[in-house]
Amino acid sequence: MPTWLELVIRVGGVLVAFLTLPLVVGQAEHKVMAHMQGRLGPMYAGGFHGWAQLVADGVKFVQKEDVTPREADRAVFRLAPVVALVPYLLVLLVIPLGPDDLVGQPLDIGLFFVLAVVGVGVVAVLMSAWASANKYSLLGGLRGAAQLLGYELPLVLSAASVAMAAGTLSLSGIVEAWQPWWLLWQAPAMFVFFVAGLAEIRRPPFDMPIADSELVFGYMTEYTGLRFAFFLLAEYVGIVVIAALTTVLFLGGWQGPFADGQLGWLWTLLKVFAVSFVIIWLRVSYPRLREDQLQRLCWLVLVPLSLAQLVLTAAVRVAL
């Protein structure tokens, strides 16, 4: 197969996943939340269980008027939703779905690339907050910047622990080096990574930057129509990305009890959807953290725990 054709197929597959998996997670969130909270919700769009409601919502967003505030920085205001989406697309390019290079673009420094790109999300928050010329948006942006910059440290430290254990920065290499007993040995790192990842994508209970009871809708207050939909899509893509990274780094990726070269991708997807379910479950179960509680959890719990895990990993690697 020509190199250019293989590249087109790989990138095309990633684009399909980028456009479909967030919709599946979004639909699952609506239905899971409805069942957990005893709410019937819309059940008619598409027939069975209202499966097309999310599609109907998308059509609604497309038809809505695109409004830009008079005092806004128009160029930055319009660019922010795109900046929120692009990093997650780039991350999906390097996350392996299965063995034998079943990945958009294999990189030897895939983990380093992922951590660098995910951090760009704070730029979109600051762009939308500052360019909106709205005090609620600005306050949400400042909250978001403090939150994202704080939780970057435990996210990186916990990821460094598993990279040190595997002896490689390649995401595929980490999956190949993974052993079932890592579920116990690297459990603290997985906990830190998962919680910090939730804070990075601003999911409840870490949604202080878009606290509707205090800031209307934070940095997204002035957005309407398709641009607002892009921010929502970025949130659901973020769920897929954090779930996929947790799966690849800590849950063995494509490895499973009966995994082989043909079904490895299925194990990866099952684990991704299981972690996504936990993310949805946490939204329903826990109230929003206050700003002081959020920062205290980061600096007094997650950072010391990730440092301790890093020391433990180094000691085990030296001993072995």
Side-chain angles (χ1 to χ4, degrees):
M1 180 184 298
T3 303
W4 65 269
L5 180 58
E6 181 181 358
L7 181 62
V8 169
I9 293 175
R10 288 176 181 267
V11 174
V14 172
L15 283 175
V16 171
F18 178 77
L19 295 174
T20 57
L21 290 181
L23 297 180
V24 174
V25 171
Q27 179 71 4
E29 178 174 57
H30 289 156
K31 296 303 177 182
V32 169
M33 288 179 62
H35 285 292
M36 285 184 172
Q37 297 176 341
R39 298 179 298 158
L40 183 61
M43 298 288 288
Y44 300 100
F48 177 74
H49 220 262
W51 67 268
Q53 183 61 44
L54 206 63
V55 178
D57 290 340
V59 174
K60 176 189 68 177
F61 279 123
V62 172
Q63 294 176 339
K64 283 190 173 181
E65 182 180 4
D66 183 14
V67 178
T68 302
R70 182 183 304 151
E71 301 299 326
D73 186 325
R74 303 179 73 86
V76 178
F77 182 85
R78 293 177 176 178
L79 185 61
V82 178
V83 176
L85 270 175
V86 170
Y88 294 129
L89 174 60
L90 295 178
V91 170
L92 287 176
L93 281 171
V94 300
I95 295 179
L97 185 61
D100 302 323
D101 283 339
L102 189 57
V103 57
Q105 182 59 48
L107 290 179
D108 292 335
I109 55 170
L111 181 59
F112 177 82
F113 175 82
V114 164
L115 295 176
V117 171
V118 167
V120 177
V122 67
V123 177
V125 173
L126 292 175
M127 287 172 64
S128 59
W130 182 261
S132 294
N134 180 296
K135 292 182 179 179
Y136 290 115
S137 297
L138 183 58
L139 288 173
L142 293 176
R143 285 183 178 183
Q147 175 174 320
L148 298 179
L149 292 176
Y151 279 84
E152 276 288 321
L153 182 57
L155 185 79
V156 172
L157 290 175
S158 57
S161 174
V162 73
M164 184 185 299
T168 179
L169 288 174
S170 168
L171 295 177
S172 297
I174 290 174
V175 176
E176 292 171 355
W178 183 87
Q179 299 294 329
W181 69 282
W182 284 22
L183 291 173
L184 296 177
W185 177 38
Q186 294 294 325
M190 180 172 65
F191 170 77
V192 172
F193 184 88
F194 181 72
V195 173
L198 289 183
E200 285 288 310
I201 60 176
R202 300 167 296 282
R203 287 284 300 181
F206 303 96
D207 59 338
M208 286 295 294
I210 53 175
D212 53 344
S213 59
E214 306 165 30
L215 303 180
V216 185
F217 219 62
Y219 60 90
M220 293 189 285
T221 298
E222 298 292 348
Y223 283 89
T224 60
L226 201 55
R227 300 185 196 280
F228 181 76
F230 281 171
F231 273 117
L232 295 183
L233 180 61
E235 177 181 345
Y236 288 122
V237 180
I239 294 175
V240 174
V241 166
I242 294 301
L245 289 175
T246 303
T247 296
V248 169
L249 296 177
F250 300 100
L251 299 179
W254 59 77
Q255 298 192 42
F258 307 103
D260 55 29
Q262 302 297 323
L263 296 178
W265 60 271
L266 181 59
W267 279 109
T268 301
L269 289 179
L270 288 175
K271 293 176 183 179
V272 168
F273 284 122
V275 177
S276 299
F277 173 80
V278 174
I279 295 175
I280 297 170
W281 189 2
L282 290 176
R283 174 177 182 175
V284 180
S285 304
Y286 287 92
R288 180 182 301 124
L289 295 177
R290 296 196 314 265
E291 186 67 24
D292 61 313
Q293 293 173 329
L294 186 143
Q295 295 297 340
R296 187 180 297 114
L297 174 64
C298 174
W299 296 106
L300 299 184
V301 177
L302 298 187
V303 171
L305 185 59
S306 59
L307 287 173
Q309 176 66 45
L310 202 59
V311 171
L312 173 63
T313 302
V316 172
R317 286 287 296 176
V318 170
L320 296 178

